Amino acid sequence: MSLLDLFISPEKKKGKSHLRNLMSMAMADGKLEDTEYQFLLKIANRYNISSNDVDRLKAEIAQKGGYSVEKGSTKFEQIFDLVKMMMIDNNINPNELKMCKNFAQKIGVAVNKVDELIESIVQNISIGHNFEETKMRVAYLVKD
């Protein structure tokens, strides 16, 4: 941790952690598509994170890899965005799916509910449901 990290708000730290996970998902197939990058910028904007920070994060992940479990967000929010990133290029790569399942388990989604949760989110996104609609429909699968 650098001295500058002490002055970053908890919300921004949460955002960077979330972006790290999304970026790792986006790069799981070995490339970062423009649609994936645009989605990352949209999420970064939600947390007041600059595009320069997103680019630095991309370089860091390319070099070090990995993802982290963030504090302060709901499990559902994290999984929803990861699934959305996995789907954004209209091609669910097996590495992306595996990573999403592993992440869901790491944040405490019951092992016997992971597949159903991810499949339900995919179906809801596919038919045009937004975050809130999807959350309402699959809340029984995730306890925050």
Side-chain angles (χ1 to χ4, degrees):
M1 175 186 286
S2 74
L3 184 59
L4 289 176
D5 288 338
L6 296 174
F7 299 102
I8 297 174
S9 73
E11 185 70 12
K12 196 165 189 174
K13 285 180 184 178
K14 177 179 84 168
K16 283 189 173 187
S17 176
H18 192 46
L19 280 172
R20 177 175 282 104
N21 296 334
L22 292 171
M23 181 80 68
S24 294
M25 174 66 71
M27 296 173 71
D29 62 1
K31 56 190 178 299
L32 181 63
E33 300 288 339
D34 188 55
T35 52
E36 294 169 328
Y37 184 73
Q38 292 307 313
F39 181 66
L40 288 167
L41 291 178
K42 182 179 174 183
I43 299 297
N45 189 49
R46 182 190 309 165
Y47 294 101
N48 295 316
I49 296 171
S50 72
S51 60
N52 287 338
D53 283 343
V54 172
D55 292 338
R56 279 192 286 277
L57 186 59
K58 178 184 173 192
E60 178 185 317
I61 289 171
Q63 182 180 31
K64 297 178 185 176
Y67 56 95
S68 61
V69 177
E70 66 191 72
K71 306 273 191 250
S73 289
T74 66
K75 291 177 190 178
F76 183 75
E77 180 182 10
Q78 293 178 65
I79 294 296
F80 181 86
D81 284 344
L82 282 171
V83 171
K84 195 166 184 177
M85 178 60 77
M86 181 175 68
M87 295 176 62
I88 207 155
D89 61 1
N90 297 316
N91 179 31
I92 298 177
N93 179 286
N95 289 335
E96 292 171 333
L97 184 57
K98 180 179 177 185
M99 184 177 183
C100 195
K101 288 179 180 184
N102 288 338
F103 183 81
Q105 290 176 21
K106 280 188 183 260
I107 64 169
V109 175
V111 174
N112 64 336
K113 294 183 180 180
V114 168
D115 289 337
E116 183 180 359
L117 174 63
I118 292 171
E119 184 177 314
S120 295
I121 294 172
V122 166
Q123 289 173 355
N124 275 271
I125 291 172
S126 295
I127 60 175
H129 290 159
N130 65 22
F131 173 82
E132 290 301 326
E133 291 170 318
T134 303
K135 183 177 182 180
M136 192 172 60
R137 289 173 172 18
V138 302
Y140 69 96
L141 294 169
V142 181
K143 293 195 179 205
D144 284 318

